Amino acid sequence: MSYQHSIGIRSYRFADLRELMAKASPARSGDYLAGVAAGTEEERMAAKIALAGVPLKRFLEEELIPYDEDEVTRLIFDEHDASAFAPISHLTVGDFRNWLLSDLADSEMLARIAPGVTPEMAAAVSKVMRNQDLILAAQKCRVVTCFRNTIGLPGRLSVRLQPNHPTDDAKGIAASMLDGLLYGCGDAVIGINPASDSLPAIVTLLRMIDDFRQEYDVPTQSCVLTHVTNSIKAIEQGAPVDLTFQSIAGTEKANTSFGINLALLREAHEATLSLNRGTVGDNCMYFETGQGSALSANAHHGMDQQTCEVRAYAIARKFRPLLVNTVVGFIGPEYLYDGKQIIRAGLEDHFCGKLLGVPMGCDVCYTNHAEADQDDMDNLLTLLGVAGITFIMGIPGADDIMLNYQSTSYHDSLYVRRALSLRRAPEFDAWLERMQITDAGGRLRRLPAGQPLLRHADNLSEAA
């Protein structure tokens, strides 16, 4: 089925939904690289208008990748909840945008319809929304998950403490971890990107974090962000795995390039659940995504990169994760060229993930060869804070010395919490006060702060 719209004397025709959605996407370098972007702003506007008139039901009739060729497509169609879709089944994409911004779409209603929204519906409606629309609608979406603390509650913002080290030096990681905790970071997860895939090194890091967590009764969770097969092996060796991590993408072919499929993720989920390490919940998976990942693997099937990205959230939703993180500017300017494109992509990813019922965080980041700077990241951080982001990154100096990219610092989380009156996960908040790191209002104490931790800093170093 083709779609068309005329502007003045010029008529634009789009062969199918895949082309229509690609041409309706806001301009970004990855879509130009893939050859799927609109050729002019006029064509882009014609595509947006045509897309706004498409009934939501159409997305249940026209597959962007054939059902028989892609297991992500099969997951999307097989898991679709018709009863949850019923309240919005009569709407077009444009009507859906208006409904999302109306008072009818409150947090309870949005949670109710989430299982009935497909990734393609979410991507489509985001393409006809302004930035302020994405912020307002996302703010109303609430996704709460639990493991050792409760993440995603209204008025709360969590932080992943990311103490990476270029050689996986345990003392260097321990120092960054202690530093982050003294700044009140770490309630989302203490998550380390290992420099190598050495299983003994991974298990050593897991045990170091877990020993520290148990000694000080820290109500958080740990994760070493290695390939899912390494996590399964670590579990088999009796390692203290809280969360199992994996990067995921929106097509079967892209996931194959990552060395994964749905069956492997199911095995990992079941293995991690079997450890029963959560205390307040059992959301035990951590996924990361990023616009451009399918294109970089030549596995995008002619789709625009944002639609590919949102399809990855269907995989995440299937396995009930504690955290999902769009690493928005990490892949580079080939996919998101400058600050404007990164900001738009971050707002899109957050909105679409939340609309699908996914606990969405964002690594507000860029690489040093992108046309972006820290002011752009400050803008995106603030906009996402207003939009109700679940969690952000906490990295020493905002500069990851292992992955070599720019993100958000421990100080940045203090800024956004102060500016928007946001607290940490409640269990973690109470622990920080008990450890004399924060006061009853959640503010960092003046030095000497965190005396119980500082007194044992040497012990932590020796343990590492």
Side-chain angles (χ1 to χ4, degrees):
M1 178 179 176
S2 64
Y3 304 85
Q4 66 180 41
H5 183 77
S6 298
I7 296 180
I9 63 171
R10 185 182 294 274
S11 181
Y12 293 92
R13 182 178 295 274
F14 310 97
D16 51 26
L17 264 182
R18 180 169 52 191
E19 181 184 6
L20 178 64
M21 291 180 69
K23 296 293 179 67
S25 289
R28 61 204 56 192
S29 52
D31 290 341
Y32 288 115
L33 180 65
V36 302
T40 65
E41 287 301 321
E42 184 175 276
E43 184 183 23
R44 181 171 289 110
M45 183 54 66
K48 287 180 183 288
I49 295 171
L51 182 59
V54 174
L56 293 181
K57 288 181 179 178
R58 184 65 193 156
F59 294 93
L60 301 175
E61 301 164 352
E62 184 175 340
E63 303 154 2
L64 300 193
I65 306 176
Y67 183 92
D68 293 337
E69 297 178 12
D70 184 84
E71 69 173 358
V72 181
T73 297
R74 293 193 290 275
L75 173 68
I76 291 167
F77 278 79
D78 293 348
E79 296 282 324
H80 182 255
D81 188 328
S83 60
F85 180 60
I88 57 172
S89 61
H90 62 290
L91 300 177
T92 65
V93 171
D95 293 333
F96 189 31
R97 176 259 182 193
N98 296 337
W99 182 85
L100 286 167
L101 299 176
S102 74
D103 291 337
L104 293 173
D106 58 14
S107 297
E108 181 179 338
M109 176 58 78
L110 289 170
R112 194 179 309 155
I113 68 160
V117 179
T118 69
E120 291 83 358
M121 294 176 194
V125 75
S126 75
K127 296 176 192 298
V128 301
M129 297 172 81
R130 295 169 58 185
N131 285 4
Q132 66 175 242
D133 299 341
L134 298 172
I135 292 167
L136 180 59
Q139 189 185 71
K140 297 191 287 183
C141 296
R142 281 295 156 194
V143 182
V144 179
T145 55
C146 304
F147 191 77
R148 288 198 188 91
N149 57 30
T150 308
I151 294 172
L153 293 169
R156 305 276 175 171
L157 171 71
S158 295
V159 175
R160 170 188 159 189
L161 175 51
Q162 185 171 307
N164 293 344
H165 193 279
T167 63
D168 289 339
D169 180 75
K171 288 187 177 181
I173 289 170
S176 292
M177 183 172 71
L178 180 62
D179 189 28
L181 288 168
L182 290 172
Y183 276 102
C185 296
D187 52 339
V189 63
I190 300 174
I192 301 168
N193 297 90
S196 78
D197 285 330
S198 163
L199 189 59
I202 289 164
V203 171
T204 295
L205 292 176
L206 284 167
R207 287 179 173 151
M208 181 195 76
I209 301 174
D210 197 60
D211 288 346
F212 174 83
R213 182 193 62 77
Q214 291 193 61
E215 181 172 356
Y216 296 103
D217 196 25
V218 190
T220 190
Q221 36 283 329
S222 64
C223 184
V224 174
L225 282 69
T226 186
H227 193 269
V228 65
T229 52
N230 282 334
S231 294
I232 292 172
K233 292 174 184 176
I235 290 170
E236 291 171 348
Q237 291 186 11
V241 176
D242 288 342
L243 307 183
T244 289
F245 164 82
Q246 182 57 49
S247 294
I248 55 174
T251 72
E252 179 179 348
K253 186 177 178 182
N255 285 321
T256 298
S257 75
F258 291 165
I260 63 166
N261 54 34
L262 296 179
L264 182 59
L265 292 178
R266 187 177 303 109
E267 178 187 351
H269 185 222
E270 291 172 355
T272 316
L273 275 176
S274 71
L275 299 180
N276 197 30
R277 290 177 58 82
T279 55
V280 296
D282 65 354
N283 301 115
C284 61
M285 300 295 284
Y286 177 15
F287 296 118
E288 286 193 344
T289 66
Q291 288 195 28
S293 59
L295 175 59
S296 68
N298 194 27
H300 61 295
H301 295 269
M303 289 188 292
D304 66 274
Q305 65 183 37
Q306 190 245 345
T307 300
C308 285
E309 166 74 5
V310 184
R311 283 168 56 95
Y313 305 157
I315 299 174
R317 180 166 62 177
K318 171 67 176 176
F319 296 104
R320 302 189 302 108
L322 181 75
L323 308 165
V324 177
N325 179 35
T326 170
V327 193
V328 67
F330 182 75
I331 301 181
E334 299 85 357
Y335 305 95
L336 295 170
Y337 178 72
D338 56 16
K340 181 175 182 178
Q341 292 187 12
I342 292 171
I343 288 169
R344 173 70 191 191
L347 295 176
E348 288 171 347
D349 294 351
H350 176 246
F351 160 75
C352 290
K354 285 288 185 65
L355 185 61
L356 292 172
V358 171
M360 209 70 201
C362 182
D363 191 340
V364 179
C365 64
Y366 65 103
T367 57
N368 285 317
H369 62 312
E371 290 294 321
D373 58 27
Q374 207 65 44
D375 285 339
D376 295 314
M377 299 307 105
D378 287 350
N379 292 342
L380 178 54
L381 172 62
T382 305
L383 294 172
L384 287 171
V386 174
I389 191 78
T390 298
F391 71 101
I392 59 170
M393 301 296 109
I395 297 171
D399 184 359
D400 193 298
I401 59 173
M402 193 280 282
L403 293 173
N404 293 309
Y405 77 115
Q406 309 302 310
S407 185
T408 46
S409 70
Y410 304 149
H411 302 77
D412 292 332
S413 66
L414 297 179
Y415 146 71
V416 74
R417 285 197 176 111
R418 178 66 64 87
L420 300 176
S421 300
L422 300 171
R423 298 293 294 261
R424 302 164 184 87
E427 300 88 346
F428 194 77
D429 236 356
W431 177 81
L432 290 172
E433 184 181 357
R434 189 166 67 251
M435 297 298 290
Q436 304 170 33
I437 297 172
T438 61
D439 61 21
R443 296 176 293 272
L444 292 182
R445 291 180 179 271
R446 293 183 180 274
L447 290 176
Q451 284 294 344
L453 285 186
L454 288 173
R455 279 197 299 269
H456 297 284
D458 289 339
N459 293 341
L460 177 62
S461 178
E462 289 171 8

